[in-house]
Amino acid sequence: MTIRKRRALFYVLAVLFVIGGGGAALYSQGFRINPETLELQKTGAIFLKSEPPYSEIKINGKIFENKSGILKSGTLIDDLTPGRYRVSVSQSGYSTWEKSLEVAPSLVAEAVSIALIPDEKPELKIQSGVDDFWVNGENVVWRDARGALWKKTGDKKIKIIGDNIVDWKGGSNRLIVFSIKNNAYFLVDFDNLDSSLNLNSLFNNLKERQLRLAGAVEIKSALHHPFDDNKIIIATKRAVYVLDTAKLSLETVEENADPVAIIAANSEIVWADDQNRVFAHNLMLKRASPIGEANGEISALHLSPSGYYLIAEIRDGAPLLFNRRDQKVTGLPPVRVPPVFSPDEKKIAVLSLSGDLKIYFLENQIKNVNKKAGDVAVLLADAGNPQAISWHDDSLHVFLQYPKGLSFAEIDDRPPVNVAEIDGDISKSSRAGGKIYALKNGDLYEIAVFED
């Protein structure tokens, strides 16, 4: 071989080495040629987490191994060229989840709140002939077709005084009921169901003896004290009081409150007066301070779990959102049902008069869907006519209660939005743990939907 040929061969091999080595280096760094654009691009990935975990994963029709297990809570599918992918997660006997996910270079597209609803849901009938019901922890109270309240204790049914439950603090064995027959509020204690306390009689008696205020006064609202089970918040047409049922004492909170709507949570009482002003009374500091003013008659108040946010429903108008940390007031759209705060306090579910189901993001949302504070996601352009909205415990799904039927919807607005029907006969529902208590055709059931 001549020197010229050897030199040419050397140069060819050198070029191939550089190209091959560079290609291997680029490949090892995640670069691929996109078959759609023929461009050299860095790859991305998709991370999926579902419940139940061992479900079948398909991307653009191709099955991928589900790597969920004891040590892994989800499945990462990497080495994907940038672009849009059709993703489905399914399991026999469950609803199917589908989503169109955009993969970007060097980034991971997440879907970590995939919840598949079982087709078959074990049911246990609790009671027949039920008109309404309430659930708190392990306690269930129902109202029969004749208007009587009942509680089941073991194998026994015990009748409770009253016609309607007014307030029942979470985890408490004491509830406040109203009796139409007696035109009075009663405090019912599950630990002593043989005796119920007439709050109207006790309030007026203590008002005369301790506060020297003569004459019977009608109670407009009665609700539990936020952190003392022995105390009851009493609101009359003019004033707000704290009634201690253990010490048999009455304390005036505000003499000229004129409350038209009132709630109690955390360590405070919040009320709106007849001039559309909202106040908060701190029960620890025993001091009241203004929150803000509405542009119409306030019909109801809703506090977020921590109390940082407050929604004031306006009669014949749009609700107002008070941000108590930033001292800002934001108008929400006119609604069909009361807006609802998520358990994590970062979102509000709203059903507008036009029927749109929207999620208002109060704070940045990084998990699953990247949203900024102030963003509004339209989940369903026409959600129909649900009569109530409630949040799932994960703050990533909502329940839609229709006059006939209960549905479960994700808040991930990347299309398509997954909505699964739980039962088409449910007219009212309430949840405790992984079970749903449901009223179906006049009977009360306990339905297992989610695994504990």
Side-chain angles (χ1 to χ4, degrees):
M1 183 180 294
T2 64
I3 295 176
R4 180 180 292 182
K5 288 182 178 180
R6 286 200 300 268
R7 185 176 294 155
L9 181 60
F10 171 78
Y11 287 140
V12 170
L13 292 175
V15 170
L16 291 175
F17 176 80
V18 171
I19 294 175
L26 290 173
Y27 188 92
S28 66
Q29 293 175 22
F31 284 92
R32 302 289 185 274
I33 294 178
N34 192 320
E36 299 291 333
T37 64
L38 299 179
E39 295 177 342
L40 186 65
Q41 294 179 316
K42 199 171 180 72
T43 59
I46 292 176
F47 182 74
L48 304 173
K49 183 180 178 182
S50 66
E51 189 61 45
Y54 304 107
S55 302
E56 182 181 77
I57 297 172
K58 285 185 180 180
I59 298 181
N60 287 349
K62 179 182 177 182
I63 297 177
F64 284 78
E65 180 187 0
N66 191 323
K67 300 177 182 178
S68 298
I70 298 176
L71 301 179
K72 291 184 178 181
S73 60
T75 299
L76 178 68
I77 302 166
D78 56 7
D79 207 23
L80 299 174
T81 55
R84 187 165 291 277
Y85 291 83
R86 291 178 290 107
V87 183
S88 70
V89 179
S90 62
Q91 184 165 318
S92 178
Y94 287 80
S95 61
T96 296
W97 179 93
E98 296 177 318
K99 188 71 65 179
S100 178
L101 297 178
E102 182 75 28
V103 173
S106 303
L107 297 177
V108 178
E110 285 189 339
V112 296
S113 63
I114 303 171
L116 308 183
I117 302 300
D119 297 333
E120 299 295 329
K121 310 165 189 72
E123 294 183 352
L124 173 64
K125 183 185 285 189
I126 298 176
Q127 182 63 36
S128 299
V130 176
D131 174 67
D132 202 352
F133 74 96
W134 298 262
V135 178
N136 189 338
E138 297 296 322
N139 293 311
V140 181
V141 173
W142 68 88
R143 185 172 62 207
D144 65 20
R146 296 183 178 181
L149 295 180
W150 298 85
K151 180 188 182 300
K152 191 172 185 179
T153 303
D155 296 330
K156 296 182 179 179
K157 294 190 304 181
I158 300 178
K159 191 175 182 180
I160 298 174
I161 191 171
D163 306 274
N164 192 44
I165 293 181
V166 175
D167 192 30
W168 194 358
K169 189 167 63 175
S172 175
N173 283 335
R174 309 178 100 194
L175 62 158
I176 300 172
V177 302
F178 183 78
S179 170
I180 298 176
K181 178 182 178 181
N182 297 282
N183 192 30
Y185 292 90
F186 286 84
L187 179 64
V188 176
D189 191 340
F190 289 153
D191 296 328
N192 185 19
L193 285 172
D194 294 332
S195 178
S196 299
L197 182 62
N198 187 318
L199 295 175
N200 289 64
S201 296
L202 179 60
F203 165 73
N204 279 292
N205 183 283
L206 294 175
K207 181 179 65 65
E208 291 190 10
R209 287 196 297 108
Q210 296 183 1
L211 303 182
R212 307 301 183 195
L213 299 173
V217 175
E218 181 184 0
I219 294 178
K220 293 293 184 182
S221 299
L223 54 157
H224 288 286
H225 192 281
F227 55 85
D228 191 333
D229 277 354
N230 291 320
K231 295 181 179 180
I232 304 295
I233 309 297
I234 300 292
T236 66
K237 184 178 180 180
R238 289 295 178 192
V240 178
Y241 304 87
V242 173
L243 171 64
D244 193 321
T245 61
K247 297 180 179 179
L248 299 180
S249 63
L250 186 66
E251 174 187 359
T252 303
V253 172
E254 189 68 34
E255 288 183 326
N256 300 303
D258 302 319
V260 296
I262 186 169
I263 53 177
N266 302 314
S267 61
E268 60 183 2
I269 307 171
V270 179
W271 72 86
D273 67 10
D274 55 3
Q275 298 182 51
N276 309 324
R277 299 174 300 180
V278 184
F279 298 88
H281 177 90
N282 190 300
L283 290 163
M284 303 293 289
L285 302 177
K286 296 188 176 183
R287 184 175 61 200
S289 58
I291 291 179
E293 189 170 343
N295 54 0
E297 182 183 351
I298 298 174
S299 58
L301 297 170
H302 308 280
L303 267 178
S304 66
S306 71
Y308 288 141
Y309 300 98
L310 172 74
I311 292 176
E313 288 190 63
I314 310 299
R315 197 178 306 278
D316 301 323
L320 293 177
L321 172 67
F322 292 87
N323 185 329
R324 300 175 66 186
R325 287 187 290 192
D326 299 337
Q327 301 296 310
K328 293 181 180 179
V329 182
T330 304
L332 299 175
V335 295
R336 291 188 182 183
V337 298
V340 189
F341 288 106
S342 62
D344 67 2
E345 200 174 32
K346 295 181 178 180
K347 300 169 281 288
I348 303 174
V350 173
L351 181 69
S352 67
L353 284 180
S354 61
D356 295 340
L357 177 61
K358 300 179 179 180
I359 303 297
Y360 283 72
F361 290 84
L362 304 177
E363 300 178 20
N364 294 340
Q365 173 83 43
I366 299 176
K367 182 180 180 181
N368 202 55
V369 183
N370 190 12
K371 298 291 184 181
K372 296 180 180 179
D375 285 351
V376 180
V378 179
L379 296 186
L380 300 173
D382 184 6
N385 189 31
Q387 59 189 18
I389 301 173
S390 59
W391 283 88
H392 189 36
D393 296 338
D394 64 4
S395 294
L396 296 172
H397 296 85
V398 292
F399 292 90
L400 304 176
Q401 179 62 67
Y402 292 88
K404 199 74 170 176
L406 178 67
S407 294
F408 184 70
E410 63 181 358
I411 68 162
D412 186 343
D413 62 342
R414 294 172 294 182
V417 174
N418 289 274
V419 181
E421 184 180 74
I422 291 178
D423 194 302
D425 291 325
I426 294 176
S427 56
K428 181 183 177 180
S429 61
S430 183
R431 296 178 312 285
K435 297 174 183 176
I436 292 179
Y437 293 87
L439 188 60
K440 296 174 55 177
N441 303 316
D443 297 330
L444 179 60
Y445 290 86
E446 180 186 287
I447 305 176
V449 177
F450 304 102
E451 295 182 6
D452 292 331

